[in-house]
Amino acid sequence: MARRASRAKGKPASRRIRILVTGGTFDKEYNEIRGELFFKQSHVAEMLALGRSKLEVTIQTLMMIDSLEMTDADRTRIVEACRRAREERIIITHGTDTMEITARTLAAALQGKTVILTGAMVPYKFGSSDGLFNLGSALAFVQTLPPGVYIAMNGRCFPANRVRKNRDAGIFEGDAHA
Amino acid sequence: MARRASRAKGKPASRRIRILVTGGTFDKEYNEIRGELFFKQSHVAEMLALGRSKLEVTIQTLMMIDSLEMTDADRTRIVEACRRAREERIIITHGTDTMEITARTLAAALQGKTVILTGAMVPYKFGSSDGLFNLGSALAFVQTLPPGVYIAMNGRCFPANRVRKNRDAGIFEGDAHA
Amino acid sequence: MARRASRAKGKPASRRIRILVTGGTFDKEYNEIRGELFFKQSHVAEMLALGRSKLEVTIQTLMMIDSLEMTDADRTRIVEACRRAREERIIITHGTDTMEITARTLAAALQGKTVILTGAMVPYKFGSSDGLFNLGSALAFVQTLPPGVYIAMNGRCFPANRVRKNRDAGIFEGDAHA
Amino acid sequence: MARRASRAKGKPASRRIRILVTGGTFDKEYNEIRGELFFKQSHVAEMLALGRSKLEVTIQTLMMIDSLEMTDADRTRIVEACRRAREERIIITHGTDTMEITARTLAAALQGKTVILTGAMVPYKFGSSDGLFNLGSALAFVQTLPPGVYIAMNGRCFPANRVRKNRDAGIFEGDAHA
């Protein structure tokens, strides 16, 4: 009964989307005093505003790290956050270097939710970022694909166990979803 | 046999995407001599490059007009272009003012193809455009939704007969796809 | 005595710069609901921040209009604002279409101050504006040129009575200052 | 006679400006494959085009390095390039970390020319660069200041022997020119 009442107030849980922020190139900024790239805070809310998004989205920052520094403990935290989320539709922003490892970890540990990992090759704050394009596609894929774990990059979407990053070309390859 | 051979060389026809360009705010530019907005050429190819898209896409410019000036004859040309397209997955870039009219015209005239209309509230060439976000989401929706005609704006996707533009707020409303 | 006391508090009056805002392409924005260019508020403060300017500047908005609509009464207000300013160094942001008329009006009415009119061919908020470049050059010219009225555009600076806008090319021509 | 003939063809030598490129943050780019900042080629020509500059400028790339790596030999090359230049007005784009050292080296070795060193705190290719503002001001200062060596940053211009970079604040301080 409580649940039905709760649903009556808003949209059903299945429509809501949770975005888990873990850092990655997506959110890197330029420190003009030190001349280095660093993390301050996530730009996901700003990007949703730029895209005039009207989706019901909850943003949760789990960590702000380069994915080369992501540990097993960090991945466990990501799995737990996906499990605990009320939402059945989850996007994870993530560095591209180890995105496929996190995707496989999630695929092995999680069931019944649609999880899309996405990121960017160029920081959102720099002029020529692919971040807004990727976020737009990830939000569409997360609304339409059946439960499973996927990587959305380069306009395509790959199941977690059929994708790898081509490090020389900077693109993701594998069997796209369809 | 010929067809099978052809398919063996590349991806099946169902994977390819056609983008039909009709103009709209998406592609407007600023004429610095006259101080007016105008159309020159489409920015869709540039946007796909910025998004590092690796999808197989054919871009076809049908017209470059403000959608307030779109006539019945123009809409007939769009329907014909969708029919003639080898692709089963089609994106149409379109001004937002009459996007819902074109969507309904297409829905009544077309079957067996997934068609997504999208556009922008701010020109791509201006700093704060939603165009790249919308293009990213449209490309994802067109790969995943069943045949039908849809409008993808604001991160959401609406069937042609259940959507209208809220002109005061500048957003699209209706029953989202799911 | 009063003057010396006043100077003791800050920098001498001759170092301070006043920026008078009148509108022009510089400050135009895109209304995404109506699809039109319009004025909201000046971007000069934002531009000074972007340029990491450390100059002592006072910004005063006189009007926000297209310079084609500027009347004799408006120009009288500009002359009066220049006269009343405590500063001997003044920049006026102005639409380019009638910039030379305002410059000549000021040259005939004002003495003992260095006044630089500047503007932009493309709004600052659009991606490809010359506004930041022009503001940077205007601030340098206003610090270094002797009293007089000048137009600073295209990296050059022209005395008020030796300049005209080439409307076909969208550039200012005449005898540069040196 | 030869000189007079040469002058008859174009503008006098004193009007022409030479821009010597040495690298610095100004020209750094983001390598999206390696996730690092690097140098490719100078953006000065692109910046002059964006500023709609109509000045007669010759761009000469001397080196493309971080100014922390600049050696005495590099500084000797810069002095020589200034001496050999036909132009009496020279801008040097330079990393900000050792800009004041190069400025003093030039001031001790060079006479009769107006030399302005400028740079940026944020790369031009990133969204929030001060580069275009600084280039605009440097071009104005170089046209108006008497012979000498100066640093133009933050809208201000300092003689070589009266300036230092405040590394904590990322700004230049000293006695401005006037």
Side-chain angles (χ1 to χ4, degrees):
Chain A
M1 279 298 286
R3 194 173 169 211
R4 197 178 300 164
S6 157
R7 288 202 167 194
K9 280 184 212 161
K11 295 203 171 177
S14 62
R15 284 288 192 82
R16 286 206 191 88
I17 297 164
R18 179 166 296 254
I19 300 182
L20 299 175
V21 173
T22 73
T25 296
F26 215 70
D27 271 333
K28 278 188 182 163
E29 294 189 51
Y30 184 75
N31 180 325
E32 67 186 70
I33 304 295
R34 303 173 60 96
E36 294 170 353
L37 301 174
F38 77 122
F39 291 108
K40 201 162 56 178
Q41 57 183 43
S42 175
H43 303 94
V44 169
E46 186 183 334
M47 293 165 77
L48 291 173
L50 183 58
R52 278 79 175 159
S53 171
K54 299 299 168 195
L55 295 166
E56 291 192 45
V57 168
T58 300
I59 301 169
Q60 179 184 355
T61 299
L62 287 184
M63 57 199 80
M64 283 294 265
I65 61 172
D66 191 307
S67 79
L68 288 173
E69 296 166 12
M70 194 176 278
T71 64
D72 287 351
D74 291 327
R75 292 200 167 85
T76 302
R77 282 183 62 202
I78 297 172
V79 170
E80 285 308 306
C82 288
R83 278 195 185 128
R84 247 180 263 130
R86 278 196 332 159
E87 296 83 356
E88 290 162 17
R89 303 184 182 282
I90 298 169
I91 287 173
I92 302 173
T93 64
H94 197 289
T96 59
D97 283 315
T98 69
M99 194 183 272
E100 61 202 74
I101 299 175
T102 305
R104 277 176 211 128
T105 304
L106 281 162
L110 203 68
Q111 281 184 330
K113 297 198 173 187
T114 301
V115 179
I116 311 277
L117 291 91
T118 195
M121 293 304 292
V122 173
Y124 169 65
K125 289 307 268 183
F126 298 2
S128 55
S129 178
D130 49 339
L132 192 65
F133 179 85
N134 290 341
L135 184 60
S137 77
L139 283 165
F141 283 125
V142 87
Q143 293 176 76
T144 52
L145 288 179
V149 179
Y150 309 84
I151 284 179
M153 289 288 292
N154 308 121
R156 298 187 288 196
C157 197
F158 306 96
N161 56 351
R162 279 182 284 161
V163 59
R164 67 172 204 97
K165 185 180 177 187
N166 176 330
R167 275 162 228 298
D168 296 327
I171 60 173
F172 282 81
E173 297 171 339
D175 291 327
H177 73 95
Chain B
M1 278 299 285
R3 196 175 168 210
R4 196 179 300 165
S6 157
R7 286 201 170 196
K9 281 185 211 159
K11 295 201 171 178
S14 62
R15 285 287 191 83
R16 287 206 191 85
I17 297 165
R18 180 166 296 254
I19 300 183
L20 299 175
V21 173
T22 73
T25 295
F26 216 70
D27 272 332
K28 277 187 183 166
E29 294 188 51
Y30 185 75
N31 180 325
E32 69 186 68
I33 305 294
R34 303 173 62 97
E36 294 170 354
L37 300 175
F38 77 121
F39 291 109
K40 202 160 56 178
Q41 57 183 46
S42 176
H43 302 94
V44 169
E46 186 183 334
M47 294 165 76
L48 292 174
L50 183 59
R52 278 79 174 159
S53 172
K54 299 299 169 195
L55 296 166
E56 291 192 44
V57 168
T58 300
I59 302 168
Q60 178 184 356
T61 300
L62 287 183
M63 57 199 79
M64 284 292 267
I65 61 172
D66 191 308
S67 79
L68 288 172
E69 295 166 10
M70 194 177 277
T71 63
D72 287 351
D74 292 326
R75 292 201 167 85
T76 301
R77 281 183 61 204
I78 296 172
V79 170
E80 285 308 307
C82 289
R83 278 195 184 129
R84 247 180 263 132
R86 278 196 333 158
E87 296 83 357
E88 290 162 18
R89 303 184 182 282
I90 298 169
I91 287 173
I92 302 172
T93 65
H94 196 291
T96 59
D97 283 315
T98 69
M99 193 184 273
E100 61 202 74
I101 300 174
T102 305
R104 276 177 210 126
T105 305
L106 281 162
L110 203 68
Q111 281 184 332
K113 298 198 174 187
T114 301
V115 179
I116 312 277
L117 291 91
T118 194
M121 293 304 291
V122 172
Y124 169 66
K125 290 306 270 183
F126 298 2
S128 57
S129 177
D130 50 339
L132 191 66
F133 178 86
N134 290 340
L135 184 60
S137 77
L139 283 165
F141 283 127
V142 87
Q143 293 177 74
T144 52
L145 289 177
V149 179
Y150 309 83
I151 283 179
M153 289 289 291
N154 307 121
R156 298 188 289 197
C157 196
F158 306 96
N161 56 350
R162 280 182 284 162
V163 59
R164 68 172 204 95
K165 185 180 175 187
N166 176 332
R167 274 162 228 298
D168 296 328
I171 60 173
F172 282 81
E173 297 171 340
D175 292 326
H177 73 95
Chain C
M1 279 300 285
R3 196 176 167 207
R4 197 178 299 166
S6 157
R7 288 204 168 192
K9 282 185 211 159
K11 294 205 172 176
S14 63
R15 284 288 191 84
R16 287 206 192 86
I17 297 163
R18 179 166 296 254
I19 300 182
L20 300 175
V21 173
T22 73
T25 296
F26 215 71
D27 272 332
K28 278 187 182 166
E29 294 188 52
Y30 184 75
N31 180 325
E32 68 185 69
I33 306 295
R34 302 173 61 97
E36 294 170 353
L37 300 175
F38 77 121
F39 292 108
K40 201 160 57 179
Q41 57 183 43
S42 176
H43 303 93
V44 169
E46 186 182 334
M47 293 165 77
L48 291 173
L50 183 58
R52 278 78 174 161
S53 172
K54 299 300 168 195
L55 296 166
E56 291 192 43
V57 168
T58 301
I59 302 168
Q60 179 185 355
T61 300
L62 287 184
M63 58 199 79
M64 285 292 267
I65 61 172
D66 191 306
S67 79
L68 288 172
E69 294 166 12
M70 194 176 278
T71 63
D72 288 351
D74 292 325
R75 291 201 168 83
T76 301
R77 281 183 61 202
I78 296 172
V79 170
E80 285 309 307
C82 289
R83 277 196 185 130
R84 247 179 263 132
R86 277 196 334 156
E87 296 84 356
E88 290 161 18
R89 304 185 182 281
I90 298 169
I91 288 173
I92 302 172
T93 64
H94 196 290
T96 59
D97 283 315
T98 69
M99 194 183 273
E100 62 202 72
I101 299 174
T102 305
R104 277 177 210 124
T105 305
L106 281 161
L110 204 67
Q111 280 183 332
K113 299 198 173 187
T114 302
V115 180
I116 312 276
L117 291 91
T118 195
M121 293 304 292
V122 172
Y124 170 66
K125 289 306 269 182
F126 298 2
S128 56
S129 177
D130 49 340
L132 191 65
F133 178 86
N134 290 340
L135 184 60
S137 77
L139 283 165
F141 283 126
V142 87
Q143 293 177 74
T144 51
L145 288 178
V149 179
Y150 310 83
I151 284 179
M153 290 289 291
N154 308 122
R156 297 189 289 198
C157 196
F158 307 95
N161 57 351
R162 280 182 282 163
V163 58
R164 67 173 204 94
K165 184 180 177 186
N166 176 332
R167 275 163 228 298
D168 296 327
I171 60 174
F172 282 80
E173 297 172 339
D175 291 326
H177 72 96
Chain D
M1 278 298 286
R3 194 170 168 215
R4 197 178 299 165
S6 156
R7 287 202 168 193
K9 280 184 210 160
K11 294 203 173 177
S14 63
R15 284 289 191 82
R16 287 205 192 89
I17 298 165
R18 179 167 297 253
I19 300 183
L20 299 176
V21 173
T22 73
T25 296
F26 215 70
D27 272 332
K28 278 187 182 165
E29 295 189 51
Y30 184 75
N31 179 325
E32 68 186 70
I33 305 294
R34 303 173 60 96
E36 294 170 353
L37 301 174
F38 77 121
F39 291 108
K40 201 161 55 178
Q41 57 183 46
S42 175
H43 303 92
V44 169
E46 186 182 334
M47 294 165 77
L48 291 173
L50 183 57
R52 278 80 174 158
S53 171
K54 299 299 169 197
L55 295 166
E56 292 192 44
V57 168
T58 301
I59 302 169
Q60 178 184 356
T61 300
L62 287 184
M63 57 199 81
M64 283 294 267
I65 61 172
D66 191 307
S67 79
L68 288 173
E69 296 167 11
M70 193 176 279
T71 64
D72 287 351
D74 291 327
R75 292 200 167 85
T76 301
R77 281 182 62 201
I78 297 172
V79 171
E80 285 308 307
C82 288
R83 278 197 185 129
R84 245 179 264 131
R86 278 198 331 159
E87 295 83 356
E88 290 161 18
R89 304 185 182 280
I90 299 170
I91 288 173
I92 302 173
T93 64
H94 196 290
T96 59
D97 284 314
T98 69
M99 194 183 274
E100 61 203 72
I101 300 175
T102 305
R104 277 176 211 126
T105 304
L106 281 162
L110 204 67
Q111 280 183 331
K113 298 198 173 188
T114 301
V115 179
I116 312 277
L117 291 91
T118 195
M121 293 304 292
V122 173
Y124 170 66
K125 289 307 269 183
F126 298 2
S128 56
S129 177
D130 50 340
L132 192 65
F133 179 85
N134 290 340
L135 184 61
S137 77
L139 283 165
F141 283 125
V142 87
Q143 293 176 75
T144 51
L145 288 178
V149 179
Y150 310 83
I151 284 179
M153 289 289 291
N154 307 122
R156 297 187 289 198
C157 196
F158 306 96
N161 57 350
R162 278 183 284 161
V163 59
R164 66 171 204 97
K165 185 180 176 186
N166 177 331
R167 274 162 228 298
D168 296 327
I171 60 173
F172 282 81
E173 297 172 339
D175 291 326
H177 73 96

